[in-house]
Amino acid sequence: MTKPSQKNILIGIFCVFLLIFIAYLPALQNGFVNWDDDAHLFQNQFIQSFNVQDIFTTTVNRTYIPLTSLSFAIEYYFFGEDPFVYHFNNVLLHLLVTGFVFQFGLRIGLSLTASTVGALIFGLHPMHVESVAWVTERKDVLYAFFYMLALLCYCSYVSSLATKRKGILLVATMVLGVLSALAKPMALSLPFVLLVLDWFLKRDFSPRLLIEKVSVGALLVPVVWMTYVFHMRSAQVTFPESILTWLWCFAFHVRKFLWPDVFVLFHAFPKPVTIANIEYVFAVVFLCGLSGLLILYRRNRLFVFAFLFYFASIFFLLRMDQAADANMVADRFMYLPSLGICLLLGEMWASGFLKIKEKKVQRIGFLILSILITGFLSIKTFYQCQVWRNGVALWGHQISVQDKGPRALFYKKLAEAHTVEDSFQKMLSRYRGGESVTAKEQGQIQQVMKLYEQALAIKPDYANVYYNLGMLSMGLGNNDAAENYFHKAISLDINHFDVYYELGEIYQKKGRIQEAVDFYQKAIAVNPENRAVKEKVRKALEGEGLDGPIFKEVLRQSADSK
C-alpha cells in the first residue's frame, strides 16, 4: 500500500474538520441545562474555589472524574459561567478526537480514503451530539482524547518492539491511560482494547503481552475504584429476564448507531421483559445475525476488530437488570465504542468506490448516495445540537418524542428549566417588589404550575415537586402556600434537608422562632456537617434573646462544629 503524502493527509483532515465544525456550530450558542450541569459547575464549590486538592480527593455525582473537574475549574477561573467557552472546548476536543481516529485508521493500515471517511462518520454522527453539546459530558470527549492518544502511542510501541524506544512508548501508553481514567472511569476498558489491538496487529501471543495489559490494568483500577465503590451492588440476576436485558442493551447501541432516528437523554426500557416482546426478539435475532457474520467474515480482521472493539469498550455498561439507574442505555455510551464500526464503514466505502471507479454511472450514483448520507448526518447533528440549547429545549424535546420513561421527572425538569430563565427570575423579582405582572407573565407562572401538576398526576408522591412548588410560592411572596407545600413534601420524605431549612426560614420571618429552631434542628439532623444552618440557628436565637436548654444546646453544637 502506497503511503499517503503529508499534503493529502492534511487536505483530508481539514475537510473532515470543516464539515464537523459547521455541523456543531449551534452547540457554540447553547447555554447550560438543568441536568448535572449544576452539580458539576454551579454547585461544585471546589471548582469555583479552584481547590485542586479537593478536586482530586472527591467525587461528583458519585463519580471520580478529577481531570474533567480540573478542566472546568480552569475555565471557571478565567471565564466564569460563560457557556460559550465550555461548549467551544467540548467541540474542540471532539475535533481532536476525530483527528486521532483519522490517524489511528492510518496507523492500523487503512487507506487515506478509508481513514478519512471513517473519521468523518465518527465526527458527524448525531449519536455523539450528547457527548459534545452537553457541558457535563466533557468527561466523554476528554477521556476519549487521552484514550486515543494511548492507542496511537501503543501502535508506535508495537512497531518499535525491536528498538530502544519501546520502553518509553509503553510507559507513555500507561500514563495516557491513567489520564484517560482520571477524566472518566470508562477508560478501565483500555487493557482489553489493547488485547484486541494486539490481535488485529498480529502480535504473537506471549507472557510479555499479558504482563503489559495486567500492568496497565493495575494502574487504572485504583483510579476508578472510588467510582466503583459508590456504584457497587449485587445485580438482580433472573433468568431469562437478565439475559434478555443484556442482549437488548448490547443490540440497542449498534442499532441506534446504524439507524440514527431519534436521540433523547432517556431512552425507555422496553417492558415486559419477555421473548414475546418484539424488542427482545430483535435483540436475539441481531446477536444471532452478528454471530453468523463474524463466523462468515472471520478472515476479515477489520470486521471482527470493529465489533470486538465495541464489546471490549462498552461491556462495563451493559446491564443485566434495571435497578442500577435511570439510564439503562444512553447515546453517550457509544461515543468511543463506535470507533471500530466507523473505521469499518470507512473501509467498506473505500472498497466499494474502488470497485466501481471505472463505471461512470455507478460511480456517480455512489457519490450522490454518499453525499445524501453525509448531508443527512450533518443536518441531523446540526438540529440535535439545538436540542441542548437549554433546559427548556432539552426537556421539551424529551417529552415530545418519548411517550414512556420517567415522564414525571421530565415535566418536573421542564418546569424547573422555565423557572431558572433570566426573564422568569426578573419577573419574580418585580412581583416581589410589588410591581404588577403582565398577562403573558401570569401565563408563564400558570404554565410552570401546570407542568408541576402534570408531574404529580403521574407520580403523586413526588416530594421534590412539592418542594419546588413551595419555592415557587415563596418566590411569588405566598409564604402560607409555600408552608403547605413544604409540609406535604415532609410527609413524603422525612429526610428532605432543603424543606426543613426553608420551613425554618419561613417561621423565622414570621417571628415564630421556636418553630424555626425546631426545623433548623431537623435540617441539622439530616445534614450534621452543614455549618451554615447551625450558624443560622445561633443567630436566630441570639437575635430573639432566648435562653433555656434549647438555646444552650444549639450554641454548644455551633461551637463544636467550628
Side-chain angles (χ1 to χ4, degrees), residues 53-171:
Q53 180 179 345
D54 285 331
I55 286 174
F56 276 85
T57 55
T58 57
T59 62
V60 182
N61 282 351
R62 302 188 306 163
T63 305
Y64 186 60
I65 48 172
L67 202 59
T68 299
S69 295
L70 181 61
S71 73
F72 287 145
I74 294 172
E75 289 165 325
Y76 188 87
Y77 181 81
F78 288 104
F79 304 101
E81 296 178 2
D82 182 359
F84 172 83
V85 175
Y86 299 87
H87 286 294
F88 177 81
N89 287 334
N90 272 18
V91 172
L92 178 61
L93 282 167
H94 179 57
L95 288 172
L96 291 173
V97 172
T98 302
F100 295 151
V101 171
F102 171 82
Q103 189 64 31
F104 181 73
L106 294 177
R107 295 296 299 276
I108 64 175
L110 301 189
S111 66
L112 175 61
T113 301
S115 299
T116 302
V117 175
L120 184 62
I121 294 171
F122 180 90
L124 277 184
H125 202 288
M127 196 171 188
H128 294 162
V129 169
E130 184 174 296
S131 296
V132 184
W134 182 12
V135 170
T136 290
E137 279 310 297
R138 165 71 54 78
K139 52 183 177 285
D140 261 349
V141 288
L142 190 59
Y143 111 86
F145 173 84
F146 290 109
Y147 200 105
M148 288 305 304
L149 280 176
L151 293 183
L152 290 172
C153 200
Y154 188 76
C155 287
S156 297
Y157 165 72
V158 172
S159 62
S160 305
L161 287 174
T163 68
K164 294 181 179 180
R165 296 174 58 229
K166 64 180 184 296
I168 296 175
L169 291 170
L170 182 60
V171 171

Side-chain angles (χ1 to χ4, degrees), residues 355-397:
K355 290 178 181 178
I356 62 169
K357 188 168 68 170
E358 304 302 327
K359 301 174 182 179
K360 184 177 180 180
V361 176
Q362 293 182 7
R363 183 178 73 247
I364 294 174
F366 189 84
L367 289 175
I368 291 175
L369 178 61
S370 301
I371 292 172
L372 290 174
I373 293 175
T374 302
F376 168 78
L377 293 177
S378 301
I379 294 171
K380 186 81 172 177
T381 291
F382 188 89
Y383 283 105
Q384 190 64 26
C385 285
Q386 297 177 50
V387 168
W388 291 89
R389 183 173 65 255
N390 52 39
V392 173
L394 175 64
W395 298 108
H397 172 74

Side-chain angles (χ1 to χ4, degrees), residues 313-329:
S313 55
I314 205 172
F315 79 92
F316 286 114
L317 300 176
L318 300 179
R319 312 285 197 240
M320 295 193 74
D321 65 5
Q322 50 181 312
D325 50 48
N327 289 103
M328 292 287 292
V329 291

Side-chain angles (χ1 to χ4, degrees), residues 264-284:
V264 289
L265 182 58
F266 287 90
H267 291 282
F269 179 66
K271 294 181 180 180
V273 185
T274 169
I275 195 60
N277 189 325
I278 189 63
E279 288 279 350
Y280 299 102
V281 172
F282 173 83
V284 172

